[in-house]
Amino acid sequence: MAESYRLLAYLPLVGGCERRCNRTMNEMMPLNPSDTALILIDMQRGFEDPIWGKAVDLPGCRAAVRTLLRDCERNEVPVIIVQHDSVRVDSPLHPANPGNQLFAEVAAVAPELMIRKHVNSAFLGAPDLAAWLRARGITTLIVAGIQTNMCVETTARMGSNLGFQIVLPLDATTTFPVALPSDAGVHAILGGGAQVLSGEELMRATAANLSGGGFAELTTVRSVSTRLGAH
């Protein structure tokens, strides 16, 4: 996988010298395996279904996740796998459907913890993720998976609100196009234009939301790998 993988297009320019300096300092700091965990969200076969539209480089996301899994195993970082059990029987992610199954590279992992959920946040699944992390002194979370602007972003926001440091390698995520509301008044407020936002646009928005709002450090798999190995 090319290391230049789509990141320059998505990482936002964060305003303010202090915020830029803090981001630079974080990127230089090692990640301590003893207080860090990897959370993989919804890496499930159902996201190959054409119902979602065209993913932003799903093969690239899966390759990046494989790298994260390899490096976490090498550095003894616990892996937490999150699986979405849709309550809609027509969803590819419903437990009765084959799409609920994990991708092979994730299914092959024996996680330290398995979370099942039917909402966006992994912190609202079962068992209690926050309690499990705190009982083990884990303070830093590497968050990756599907979809960037849905369950990944929601989990990152909530994790930050709960006091965890969130590190999000954007190249280990992907998402799909989403239509804007059909309401004409909403379109007028938004200034018209395209009625469907591309996956690339949504990834840019997530990067801006999480970084600009101080919820997460947006980074790359290469940076995470380097910092895990540097400790």
Side-chain angles (χ1 to χ4, degrees):
M1 165 183 168
E3 293 294 342
S4 60
Y5 172 73
R6 61 188 163 84
L7 285 161
L8 292 178
Y10 304 137
L11 292 178
L13 294 175
V14 182
C17 178
E18 181 179 354
R19 188 172 291 163
R20 287 197 299 270
C21 291
N22 287 341
R23 183 182 66 185
T24 301
M25 289 177 64
N26 285 339
E27 289 174 351
M28 295 172 60
M29 292 177 61
L31 291 169
N32 185 351
S34 67
D35 61 20
T36 300
L38 171 64
I39 300 182
L40 285 182
I41 298 175
D42 304 349
M43 293 293 294
Q44 292 167 254
R45 290 171 50 192
F47 283 115
E48 294 180 311
D49 193 296
I51 191 175
W52 306 102
K54 181 175 173 54
V56 179
D57 194 4
L58 178 57
C61 169
R62 292 179 62 179
V65 165
R66 286 194 290 271
T67 298
L68 285 176
L69 287 169
R70 178 201 67 198
D71 291 337
C72 286
E73 180 181 9
R74 287 177 178 175
N75 291 280
E76 299 183 348
V77 172
V79 175
I80 298 163
I81 292 176
V82 182
Q83 191 165 355
H84 190 84
D85 293 336
S86 176
V87 296
R88 294 178 47 186
V89 294
D90 60 340
S91 168
L93 304 179
H94 188 275
N97 296 328
N100 182 262
Q101 298 175 18
L102 298 167
F103 286 122
E105 60 270 22
V106 179
V109 174
E112 294 291 324
L113 180 67
M114 185 76 190
I115 299 285
R116 309 300 290 253
K117 66 178 180 63
H118 57 268
V119 293
N120 298 100
S121 175
F123 288 96
L124 297 178
D128 188 319
L129 175 57
W132 189 93
L133 294 168
R134 287 172 176 152
R136 288 154 182 80
I138 294 172
T139 58
T140 300
L141 307 178
I142 304 165
V143 180
I146 306 173
Q147 301 179 54
T148 314
N149 58 309
M150 300 287 187
C151 296
V152 172
E153 182 172 344
T154 303
T155 298
R157 284 173 177 266
M158 190 165 182
S160 177
N161 286 168
L162 290 170
F164 297 97
Q165 177 186 347
I166 309 298
V167 177
L168 200 156
L170 194 62
D171 49 342
T173 76
T174 188
T175 195
F176 308 85
V178 175
L180 290 169
S182 58
D183 186 276
V186 172
H187 279 280
I189 293 169
L190 296 175
Q195 297 188 18
V196 176
L197 296 183
S198 69
E200 289 84 358
E201 291 172 314
L202 293 166
M203 290 184 73
R204 288 176 62 89
T206 289
N209 290 339
L210 294 182
S211 182
F215 294 103
E217 175 199 339
L218 272 289
T219 187
T220 66
V221 168
R222 171 181 278 186
S223 173
V224 169
S225 298
T226 299
R227 290 160 64 188
L228 282 174
H231 185 266

